[in-house]
Amino acid sequence: MQAWGSARGRALATGVLLLSLALAACGEETPRAKPPADATGSSSSSPSSPSSGQPTVADPAHSVPPPGKIEGCCQGADILVYSQEPLSDDMTSQIRKIDGIDATEPLSLAQVAIENRVITIGAVDPASYRRFARSDIAQLQEVWDRVAGGELAIDTPLGKKLQDDAGFLKLGNDQDAARVHIGAYALQVPQVDAVVNEKWAETLGMRRGNALLVSTDLTSPQVVQDKIQKIVGKDLSVQILGPDLDLSATQTAFLTGGSVAEAVGTFSYRVIGGGRITPESSWVSENIRSEPVPILGTVTCHKVMIPQLRAALLEVQSRGLADKIHPGEYAGCFYPRFIANTTQLSLHSFGIALDMNVPGNQRGTVGEMDRDVVAIFKKWGFAWGGDWGYTDPMHFEMNRLVDVR
């Protein structure tokens, strides 16, 4: 049985798909978003601009030609091949020739950090990628018109949790990370949280063509998984798609979205149970350090963050605020794991976040963190979880590189 379903075996779903009808201009001003509208998952959805018959382009700098009506719907998204580097033409050609593979679709994949939650985003060709979405969503024209027009389509619960008041999502935890408007709430292919069109790949610093969706139609994906793995090598991720993460597959963490993400680097990892992961040892030895810092003592973090953390704590100490940070209530920095009850990595997995004064600063509260301490950490390149829509006042994460002298 296929993990995501095949074109022959699926019936149209009747669930409701929420579409955000707010269009965003590309510029400094944030337009006022209209409330989301409800639309059924049918193929008769009207275009964004009924008067002209052409969909409205929300972001001209990131737009591609509209996809037009879908033809040949649909393919099952059964296997995802994911690499840190672009897949070669020869590699993808060999995969397509495997008996039992019905169709393939190249895309670019990376992770972006949003409020300590690392989500997977795909840069896709909306005209061809839509064939791999669930059939009701594949046929809903407005979703793909909006992706072509520069907007983002995202799973409904995640989008509603992370969007700002104007319906935008900041793609990365860097202070100056790009923002994209949410054009549609739409269920995505398993293990992909959101999609934009391929014009966004350059803006986000993504590796072009580093992933491949594979449809096996009536063939079980397990039959071809090992054959694909032999072609791409044992270190690349070849995972069978479904509602749960394929625990047998090597996974790839490719953080993107700005200078901090670039400095952190990319690693492969294995899932070891209990919500934890094991990053590849070469990345850990190259990047993770245990060093002494003021107030907290020895910390284990990414090497790019430690100088800024040390500078922030030195200033806290020099200004007589050391008693506002409680070393016994420090909950760590490098802790490779998923966000609870998800398969989305935490920024602690990259060693660029830390939790302090835990008991009095629980999620969803204003917290007791001293605001002068918060201001000092912001000065030295950290974002504070207390500023988020769903607050996390114990949490600080690196959001820009600061030259420490």
Side-chain angles (χ1 to χ4, degrees):
M1 180 178 178
Q2 288 175 273
W4 187 233
S6 68
R8 301 176 190 177
R10 293 193 305 262
L12 286 178
T14 57
V16 172
L17 179 68
L18 295 176
L19 293 178
S20 171
L21 294 185
L23 292 177
C26 182
E28 293 299 320
E29 293 188 10
T30 301
R32 180 173 296 178
K34 298 177 183 179
D38 293 344
T40 59
S42 69
S43 58
S44 59
S45 178
S46 59
S48 306
S49 179
S51 58
S52 66
Q54 292 295 319
T56 301
V57 174
D59 183 353
H62 291 103
S63 67
V64 298
K69 298 291 185 182
I70 189 170
E71 297 180 4
C73 182
C74 297
Q75 303 290 341
D78 301 308
I79 293 176
L80 176 65
V81 183
Y82 184 15
S83 172
Q84 297 179 16
E85 300 295 336
L87 300 171
S88 70
D89 291 342
D90 180 62
M91 191 179 288
T92 55
S93 177
Q94 289 184 59
I95 293 172
R96 291 190 191 103
K97 293 175 182 177
I98 295 174
D99 287 340
I101 289 182
D102 184 55
T104 61
E105 175 68 15
L107 66 156
S108 305
L109 276 188
Q111 282 81 36
V112 294
I114 307 170
E115 297 186 0
N116 190 38
R117 185 182 298 266
V118 181
I119 72 169
T120 299
I121 186 167
V124 305
D125 177 351
S128 55
Y129 172 85
R130 67 190 290 189
R131 297 178 298 120
F132 289 78
R134 201 175 68 184
S135 57
D136 57 326
I137 295 169
Q139 296 181 74
L140 192 57
Q141 188 64 37
E142 191 164 9
V143 170
W144 307 104
D145 285 344
R146 288 184 177 276
V147 172
E151 296 178 277
L152 174 137
I154 188 169
D155 279 350
T156 306
L158 192 61
K160 290 194 167 189
K161 184 180 184 68
L162 298 178
Q163 69 185 27
D164 65 19
D165 291 341
F168 282 79
L169 206 62
K170 188 177 178 183
L171 298 180
N173 68 309
D174 271 33
Q175 187 177 50
D176 299 323
R179 294 166 70 247
V180 61
H181 188 256
I182 296 176
Y185 300 121
L187 183 67
Q188 298 301 311
V189 167
Q191 311 311 327
V192 177
D193 299 305
V195 295
V196 289
N197 70 52
E198 58 267 37
K199 275 285 191 72
W200 276 98
E202 183 176 355
T203 299
L204 297 176
M206 300 172 76
R207 308 271 168 82
R208 294 290 187 102
N210 67 333
L212 190 73
L213 278 177
V214 176
S215 172
T216 60
D217 198 25
L218 297 181
T219 303
S220 170
Q222 286 82 358
V223 171
V224 301
Q225 184 181 27
D226 287 345
K227 296 176 182 178
I228 296 174
Q229 196 79 66
K230 288 180 181 178
I231 292 172
V232 302
K234 62 181 179 63
D235 295 329
L236 266 67
S237 176
V238 180
Q239 57 181 302
I240 296 173
L241 296 177
D244 300 313
L245 188 66
D246 181 3
L247 300 182
S248 67
T250 300
Q251 308 295 328
T252 295
F254 172 31
L255 196 62
T256 191
S259 57
V260 172
E262 185 176 352
V264 165
T266 299
F267 60 83
S268 297
Y269 63 92
R270 291 279 185 179
V271 181
I272 58 174
R276 295 172 299 141
I277 67 165
T278 299
E280 60 184 311
S281 58
S282 58
W283 180 87
V284 174
S285 61
E286 173 64 24
N287 293 285
I288 301 302
R289 300 284 185 271
S290 293
E291 296 187 12
V293 296
I295 305 173
L296 294 178
T298 298
V299 299
T300 301
C301 304
H302 197 289
K303 64 183 181 181
V304 300
M305 193 181 88
I306 289 177
Q308 293 177 212
L309 175 60
R310 183 178 288 118
L313 291 169
L314 275 171
E315 183 167 342
V316 168
Q317 193 174 59
S318 68
R319 289 177 55 180
L321 297 170
D323 62 339
K324 304 299 184 183
I325 294 177
H326 311 141
E329 298 174 358
Y330 168 65
C333 179
F334 177 59
Y335 182 26
R337 61 179 173 84
F338 295 123
I339 297 288
N341 302 315
T342 77
T343 55
Q344 295 159 349
L345 293 176
S346 160
L347 272 187
H348 288 281
S349 301
F350 299 87
I352 57 170
L354 71 156
D355 295 332
M356 301 188 299
N357 295 10
V358 172
N361 291 282
Q362 296 297 302
R363 292 221 67 173
T365 70
V366 174
E368 303 170 355
M369 193 67 68
D370 184 88
R371 296 315 190 255
D372 288 333
V373 170
V374 170
I376 291 169
F377 268 77
K378 288 182 176 180
K379 169 186 172 182
W380 289 104
F382 292 87
W384 179 47
D387 291 330
W388 299 345
Y390 182 52
T391 59
D392 190 4
M394 72 177 73
H395 181 89
F396 292 85
E397 62 185 44
M398 187 178 176
N399 75 338
R400 71 184 192 279
L401 298 175
V402 174
D403 186 11
V404 179
R405 302 190 183 203

